[in-house]
Amino acid sequence: MKIGVIGTGYVGLVTAVCLSDLGHAVQGTDIDADKIDKANQGISHIYEPGLEELLKKNLKSGNLSFSHDLHQTIQDSNVLFVCVNTPQREDGSADMCYVEGTSRSIAENLNTYKLIVEKSTVPIQTSMWIKRTISLYKKGDADFDVASNPEFLREGSAVYDFMNPDRVIIGAESDRARDILVKIYKKYSDKILVTNIDTAELIKHASNSFLAMKISYINLMSELCDKTDANVELVAKGMGLDPRIGPLFLRAGLGYGGSCFPKDVRALIKIGEDLGVDLTLLKEVDRINRDRIQSFIQKIKKALWIIKDKKIAVLGLAFKPETDDLRNAPSIYLIEALQKEEAVLRLYDPEALDNMKSVFPEQSPSLLYTDNPYDAVRDANATLIVTEWEEFKNLDLDKIKTLMANPIIIDGRNVFDPEDVKKLGFEYYSVGRK
Ligand code: UDX
Ligand code: UDX
């Protein structure tokens, strides 16, 4: 079996590398020549723990290769994983033009039977459109199937997640398609759930929106905690002890970001609108998430009164730890809001600095990047914690206190223990805790 992976972005590169590590012959292809050149040299274009080692290992073993030639990759493969991006359009819907373009390329190169697997997150009923497009544009009489195999990879632990799946969802509507995918994932046979394609497509959107809902729910509870003596961490702990609720994804803070949750919630709202199903519940999830930034700005104002001309250190820019990804990162919306208030900003992140420089170019002196957290907090009137990197949990707080102009920490991710920090002489604000 030869597997082609179309699109070697976050999802595609991890998929290609991990499938080859399972022992399959895999070729990745991408319209971005730089990504292919890098991959062929064993360089991962994304920061993802463990990925580069596996990339090098499988290039060396000969299981894995990368090609600039989409047409050749399609012709040479029996199975094609479609991992191109499905960006958000202005109305919230997913832009399917790359999936459509890929479907046409597959049709033009359909020399033998091929199984086309949707890996990208796509709206329910996309497989019907892929089938129709390929049927419309294919020239020969080679047969094909479409299947859905949604990814559940979390950035920062994508390789681990691929190798240790909770479930492998296979949406297939022919025995041939099902059998191929079951064989590919033989190692995880006890984790496989086979459904029809619409169901598999919806499982992905339903899962992400549910997790986003848990986060918005606990963030809403954190507002009640802020106004009373309740502690949101203990509320989450108490809730999570009920196995029907579970303890995960109940961390209150600055809300969810990333390439999936914000986009997928809005896409599902739009899918509901298109199908005549009222998903107002998810509109609230989205609204609560957006409100996190203003709620945090209010906390900063409570501490500083006026933000204008105040020197503020922002620690953490990535949308979550262990990634350099800034897509929909709360830090971006926060920095925009702080710039509106004319703050003087010093920004630091262990991995995302370079990416952030293309979002906010340095503007001396109102916005500068620093190589370490201590330079960021020097003479600051307040330090904000925006991403819960391990590095921040181990900061030398005594040193921070002597470096800052005013020892004020406003912690958007509840990284520190309030008692400990206050004992050190800091004024400390966090989310849903006193
Ligand atoms: C994206 C979405 O964010 C995610 O929700 C979806 O499940 C899969 O697609 P990601 O891998 O993170 O995931 O996107 P990105 O890193 O942008 O990768 C997409 C890749 O496809 C890019 O490398 C892009 O160059 C490539 N691509 C895009 C093609 O090779 N051909 C195309 O026609 C379009
Ligand atoms: C998510 C899904 O978890 C994964 O299954 C899917 O395939 C892609 O989308 P990812 O976006 O990489 O993965 O990160 P995740 O760890 O889920 O976190 C998403 C966002 O939620 C982050 O901004 C994180 O900070 C935030 N979050 C998460 C919270 O605010 N509170 C929590 O309790 C958990």
Side-chain angles (χ1 to χ4, degrees), residues 293-294 296-297 300-301 307 330-343 345 360:
I293 301 301
Q294 269 317 310
F296 197 60
I297 291 283
I300 301 171
K301 284 188 174 165
I307 292 178
S331 65
I332 294 179
Y333 307 114
L334 179 65
I335 290 167
E336 279 170 356
L338 289 169
Q339 281 187 320
K340 244 187 222 156
E341 300 276 350
E342 297 178 61
L345 298 171
F360 297 106

Side-chain angles (χ1 to χ4, degrees), residues 268-385:
L268 191 51
I269 293 168
K270 187 68 179 50
I271 291 165
E273 277 169 14
D274 292 345
L275 296 174
V277 179
D278 182 355
L279 296 181
T280 302
L281 171 69
L282 295 181
K283 287 186 188 158
E284 279 302 290
V285 169
D286 188 36
R287 181 193 63 76
I288 294 163
N289 195 57
R290 285 184 226 231
D291 283 356
R292 290 311 88 212
I293 301 301
Q294 269 317 310
S295 158
F296 197 60
I297 291 283
Q298 291 315 315
K299 286 196 163 108
I300 301 171
K301 284 188 174 165
K302 198 171 155 194
L304 298 181
W305 188 17
I306 301 297
I307 292 178
K308 187 173 186 305
D309 296 333
K310 295 281 160 55
K311 198 164 175 186
I312 297 181
V314 179
L315 302 188
L317 304 172
F319 83 95
K320 66 173 197 178
E322 292 301 326
T323 176
D324 61 356
D325 197 344
L326 287 170
R327 287 178 287 181
N328 278 306
S331 65
I332 294 179
Y333 307 114
L334 179 65
I335 290 167
E336 279 170 356
L338 289 169
Q339 281 187 320
K340 244 187 222 156
E341 300 276 350
E342 297 178 61
V344 175
L345 298 171
R346 297 289 176 268
L347 314 179
Y348 171 74
D349 187 279
E351 293 294 338
L353 281 185
D354 285 343
N355 286 343
M356 199 58 145
K357 284 177 187 168
S358 51
V359 184
F360 297 106
E362 280 198 305
Q363 295 168 333
S364 184
S366 62
L367 186 151
L368 288 175
Y369 293 92
T370 64
D371 294 334
N372 66 74
Y374 300 103
D375 284 344
V377 305
R378 197 179 301 278
D379 300 325
N381 302 104
T383 291
L384 314 183
I385 308 285

Side-chain angles (χ1 to χ4, degrees), residues 27-152:
Q27 181 158 83
T29 183
D30 198 291
I31 44 167
D32 185 339
D34 190 45
K35 284 182 187 162
I36 296 300
D37 290 339
K38 281 198 171 121
N40 270 326
Q41 293 164 43
I43 302 167
S44 165
H45 68 87
I46 49 166
Y47 171 78
E48 193 61 47
L51 185 61
E52 207 161 88
E53 290 88 317
L54 279 192
L55 168 65
K56 289 194 167 81
K57 177 184 150 199
N58 289 289
L59 283 171
K60 205 167 160 201
S61 76
N63 275 354
L64 181 61
S65 62
F66 294 88
S67 165
H68 294 282
D69 191 341
L70 169 68
H71 298 245
Q72 197 63 51
T73 301
I74 295 173
Q75 288 170 21
D76 290 349
S77 305
N78 323 105
V79 185
L80 290 159
F81 280 79
V82 178
C83 301
V84 297
N85 41 338
T86 49
Q88 185 185 309
R89 298 170 67 190
E90 229 155 66
D91 65 358
S93 64
D95 187 343
M96 300 305 288
C97 69
Y98 301 127
V99 175
E100 195 262 358
T102 302
S103 307
R104 276 189 282 127
S105 301
I106 293 172
E108 284 158 21
N109 293 283
L110 199 74
N111 52 342
T112 54
Y113 169 85
K114 296 186 197 305
L115 172 61
I116 295 106
V117 186
E118 302 167 354
K119 195 75 178 158
S120 304
T121 305
V122 294
I124 185 168
Q125 295 182 329
T126 294
S127 72
M128 181 268 288
W129 284 108
I130 297 179
K131 269 186 230 165
R132 182 174 154 73
T133 306
I134 298 179
S135 301
L136 275 178
Y137 289 91
K138 75 171 188 160
K139 301 217 169 68
D141 53 8
D143 211 357
F144 70 96
D145 275 307
V146 178
S148 165
N149 169 226
E151 53 85 16
F152 297 103

Side-chain angles (χ1 to χ4, degrees), residues 172-191:
E173 282 166 8
S174 79
D175 293 348
R176 190 176 186 179
R178 183 202 57 213
D179 292 348
I180 291 173
L181 278 167
V182 167
K183 198 167 159 199
I184 289 175
Y185 289 108
K186 198 172 68 198
K187 189 172 174 201
Y188 310 118
S189 52
D190 56 330
K191 301 285 163 73

